[in-house]
Amino acid sequence: MKVAVLKERRRYEARVAATPDTVKKLIGLGLEVVVEAGAGAGASIADSAYEAAGAKIEGDLAAALKGAGIVLKVQRPLAGKDGDVDELALIDKGAVLIGLLAPYSGDHVAAYAAAGITSFSLEFVPRITRAQSMDVLSSQANLAGYKAVIDASSAFGRAFPMMMTAAGTIAPARVLVMGVGVAGLQAIATARRLGAVVSATDVRLATKEQVQSLGASFVAVENEETKQAETSGGYAKEMSDEYKKLQAELIQATIQKMDIVICTALIPGRKAPTLVTEAMVKSMKPGSVIVDLAVEQGGNCELSQFAKTVTKHGVTIIGPANLPAEIAVDASMLFSKNVLNFVTPLIDKDTKSLKIDGEDAIVKGSLLTQNGQIVHPSLVAKPGE
């Protein structure tokens, strides 16, 4: 079976869905791997490295996709008016598409079904023990949390750690991390390594112990509502207006003391919650920095702008478009291993062909479309809806 690894064409994307190391392992599964020329350029991987690993390099997109039973991508394929090339239209009917496929967009999912593609969305891989090695959201968020702090330190006009010199003592930077998922935890750890005094906030009380174990202080309204603030998948729930009001008052008092704020709070399939208002930004010290990792989903900060760094009320606000892609070498290495671990159980060891078990929890959790139909339980319209 032929596997096509495509070059990413979407703006701000430099990652690639397979590396020479994972290509070798895919070939070891009995698959033929074709890599579109230049696919690894953004991640500093030369075509010759793929060839040395056993892949065939194909300079033409249509030729790379022709006859491919499996198509590997980072971002969803371009379709219709997305770009100059309609990648989706070139994928063979019946092929399996694997990548970050924007599953919450009904239009995109409907397009995969209309194209007759079997699509697996890596965003939907269930958070169960057996699937940890396939969890692209965690591997990429880990890098995003690290890079957010590095970018903040670059924009910050002061040092992070406390320094005692003959000329005087430099106070440590004070950092607030908003949202304690994978990205938030890595941001806490990175800021602590750089010597900052770190605080963190999250609606999920279960994160309090994690925050404190990293040497940071936990800041949150703790009441009965916070005891049910986490979904079964480990994500934050939408909170009530009353809770949001109490939390905003607490953050207003806290944020005035901070030098750097790292925003990472997301709710899957929903607009990111607004956690930092313009009034809060105004209350911050001149020279402070905000990095808003949630800007792609509307932003946690009211003033952040997608793919831009702006200064408002003396505060630098960074709205990064795609932080993992800014560390494309490591991000691609982790992403490609997640993909390999996802693909491996789908290949029958004896026949070397695809074997999709619809009863498997990972398959059921991530399969969007099959046989021209939308099949994911959360996306299929129920009677009466």
Side-chain angles (χ1 to χ4, degrees):
M1 176 172 286
K2 177 179 173 180
V3 177
V5 179
L6 302 188
K7 178 168 62 178
E8 298 298 320
R9 290 174 168 80
R10 290 190 178 276
R11 195 177 180 189
Y12 308 115
E13 187 55 76
R15 294 170 291 177
V16 63
T19 62
D21 180 58
T22 61
V23 163
K24 287 180 184 177
K25 291 180 171 63
L26 288 169
I27 292 172
L29 294 174
L31 302 172
E32 172 196 353
V33 180
V34 174
V35 178
E36 185 184 358
S44 301
I45 304 172
D47 290 343
S48 58
Y50 284 115
E51 287 184 306
K56 177 185 177 183
I57 302 299
E58 183 59 71
D60 181 69
L61 172 63
L65 284 170
K66 187 176 181 180
I70 300 175
V71 178
L72 303 182
K73 284 189 58 51
V74 178
Q75 299 275 0
R76 68 186 186 277
L78 296 172
K81 298 178 181 179
D82 281 348
D84 296 333
V85 179
D86 192 334
E87 295 174 307
L88 187 61
L90 294 173
I91 298 175
D92 286 354
K93 185 176 181 179
V96 171
L97 171 65
I98 300 171
L100 297 171
L101 303 183
Y104 294 107
S105 168
D107 290 344
H108 296 314
V109 178
Y112 309 144
I117 292 169
T118 298
S119 61
F120 286 97
S121 181
L122 297 177
E123 295 99 321
F124 273 3
V125 169
R127 287 192 161 176
I128 58 177
T129 302
R130 186 163 57 90
Q132 285 182 344
S133 65
M134 310 171 191
D135 188 354
V136 297
L137 295 183
S138 290
S139 72
Q140 303 304 292
N142 203 21
L143 290 171
Y146 159 79
K147 189 66 165 63
V149 175
I150 299 303
D151 286 357
S153 69
S154 179
F156 189 46
R158 290 173 38 207
F160 261 53
M162 181 174 74
M163 296 183 184
M164 301 181 71
T165 75
T169 299
I170 297 173
R174 301 184 70 87
V175 176
L176 175 64
V177 177
M178 307 189 77
V180 189
V182 175
L185 288 169
Q186 183 55 249
I188 293 168
T190 303
R192 287 279 296 153
R193 289 191 203 104
L194 291 176
V197 175
V198 184
S199 301
T201 182
D202 197 291
V203 297
R204 299 164 297 170
L205 277 181
T207 62
K208 181 176 181 178
E209 187 176 338
Q210 296 172 306
V211 168
Q212 293 174 335
S213 72
L214 290 171
S217 301
F218 190 68
V219 180
V221 173
E222 299 184 30
N223 59 18
E224 286 301 311
E225 187 174 356
T226 53
K227 294 177 182 178
Q228 288 85 39
E230 187 171 353
T231 68
S232 58
Y235 297 102
K237 289 182 179 178
E238 182 80 18
M239 304 299 281
S240 69
D241 290 341
E242 177 61 24
Y243 181 89
K244 290 177 183 177
K245 180 175 179 293
L246 293 172
Q247 182 73 350
E249 290 171 355
L250 177 60
I251 296 304
Q252 175 74 67
T254 303
I255 209 167
Q256 299 172 32
K257 308 168 189 174
M258 298 297 154
D259 299 301
I260 291 169
V261 177
I262 309 291
C263 301
T264 74
L266 291 169
I267 300 171
R270 303 282 295 276
K271 182 185 180 300
T274 299
L275 304 179
V276 182
T277 64
E278 183 170 6
M280 292 179 186
V281 175
K282 285 181 179 179
S283 74
M284 295 179 73
K285 293 175 284 188
S288 298
V289 177
I290 297 172
V291 182
D292 191 349
L293 271 68
V295 71
E296 284 188 83
Q297 286 182 225
N300 293 148
C301 176
E302 208 168 43
L303 301 179
S304 60
Q305 296 180 34
F306 178 70
K308 291 184 179 180
T309 296
V310 297
T311 301
K312 300 286 185 179
H313 309 298
V315 177
T316 299
I317 305 171
I318 303 171
N322 185 347
L323 275 182
E326 294 182 24
I327 323 174
V329 174
D330 289 332
S332 296
M333 183 269 289
L334 296 179
F335 189 97
S336 65
K337 286 186 176 179
N338 292 146
V339 170
L340 172 68
N341 292 331
F342 184 87
V343 170
T344 299
L346 300 179
I347 305 301
D348 186 277
K349 293 181 180 179
D350 298 322
T351 64
K352 311 300 181 185
S353 60
L354 271 170
K355 186 177 181 181
I356 299 174
D357 179 4
E359 297 304 311
D360 181 85
I362 296 173
V363 169
K364 188 181 295 185
S366 56
L367 184 63
L368 296 183
T369 59
Q370 190 176 35
N371 300 323
Q373 301 293 321
I374 297 173
V375 298
H376 195 278
S378 70
L379 304 176
V380 176
K382 297 178 178 59
E385 290 186 345

